[in-house]
Amino acid sequence: MKVSTLVSFFRPAVAVLILLPLLLIGWTEQATAVPVAKSVSGPLQNPETYIAIQNLSQHAQSMQAEEHSNIRLIPRVNASQDQVKICCLHANILDYYLGNILHQSDIEHPSMHLLKTNLVRVSEDLKKHGCNVTHYHNHHHAVEFRRKLKEMDGDQGIIKAVGEIDILFSYLQDFCIETKN
């Protein structure tokens, strides 16, 4: 066997041995730099709850009047605000849902009882983690939500709000987390 053949064979192997540790160091540094997020409530991480929320929302959307399809009750989030404040604001809206919307809803859905139970648990967990939901009662987003809901005619407002429960749940999932580096 020629020396040139041996060199051409070992050259890629040596390159891999030199580059492999450098790549591993880069991946390790990147992995440690990314914060790990943990939800403050189990149902927010539960795939079954997520699917049930999506199904209920779609069911309610199919029942809503056409003239309400371009109205949005839940205000968009300003992601530059403090994450905890956004979480607690939506915990306030969740409490409003539990006491005023889901309680009054005549929408028949197979997972309604399970969803109410899980959402009550989310609300309780958020309160245990320091969300004082009454503090956010007069927040302009909460006021705007209630005002728009009141402007809609009774049952259609309830149906519209249930149709947007997926938006509320997504905000709770995204902002009600504990980050750890």
Side-chain angles (χ1 to χ4, degrees):
M1 206 177 211
K2 293 184 177 180
V3 174
S4 61
T5 306
L6 283 174
V7 169
S8 66
F9 175 76
F10 286 115
R11 186 172 294 153
V14 170
V16 167
L17 289 174
I18 291 172
L19 290 176
L20 185 61
L22 295 174
L23 289 172
L24 291 175
I25 290 170
W27 284 336
T28 305
E29 286 177 6
Q30 184 178 4
T32 58
V34 177
V36 176
K38 178 185 171 207
S39 176
V40 297
S41 182
L44 292 175
Q45 292 179 307
N46 186 329
E48 292 171 4
T49 303
Y50 176 81
I51 291 168
I53 289 280
Q54 296 300 315
N55 290 338
L56 175 62
S57 176
Q58 290 170 359
H59 178 68
Q61 289 170 18
S62 72
M63 298 170 59
Q64 80 183 24
E66 185 66 33
E67 69 264 18
H68 297 137
S69 62
N70 63 344
I71 297 170
R72 181 174 168 141
L73 296 176
I74 297 180
R76 285 179 170 54
V77 168
N78 179 355
S80 66
Q81 289 180 323
D82 179 29
Q83 165 199 329
V84 174
K85 288 180 182 177
I86 295 171
C87 172
C88 293
L89 166 64
H90 288 90
N92 173 276
I93 295 173
L94 173 62
D95 271 15
Y96 189 84
Y97 263 78
L98 291 169
N100 300 285
I101 295 170
L102 296 178
H103 181 70
Q104 293 180 20
S105 174
D106 292 333
I107 297 174
E108 295 291 326
H109 195 269
S111 58
M112 184 63 91
H113 179 71
L114 172 69
L115 287 177
K116 286 180 183 178
T117 302
N118 284 348
L119 292 175
V120 165
R121 180 173 163 213
V122 169
S123 177
E124 291 169 356
D125 289 346
L126 294 176
K127 288 173 186 169
K128 287 177 189 173
H129 277 82
C131 278
N132 179 356
V133 295
T134 57
H135 177 76
Y136 291 89
H137 182 74
N138 293 325
H139 187 280
H140 67 279
H141 281 236
V143 171
E144 179 184 350
F145 169 77
R146 292 190 309 270
R147 179 189 55 78
K148 286 181 178 179
L149 181 64
K150 190 175 183 178
E151 288 174 357
M152 297 182 85
D153 49 341
D155 289 342
Q156 280 299 310
I158 299 296
I159 291 169
K160 179 66 177 176
V162 174
E164 290 189 7
I165 198 166
D166 60 333
I167 298 170
L168 175 62
F169 193 75
S170 293
Y171 285 161
L172 292 168
Q173 283 182 313
D174 293 345
F175 294 99
C176 298
I177 54 175
E178 296 174 319
T179 56
K180 297 180 182 177
N181 283 334

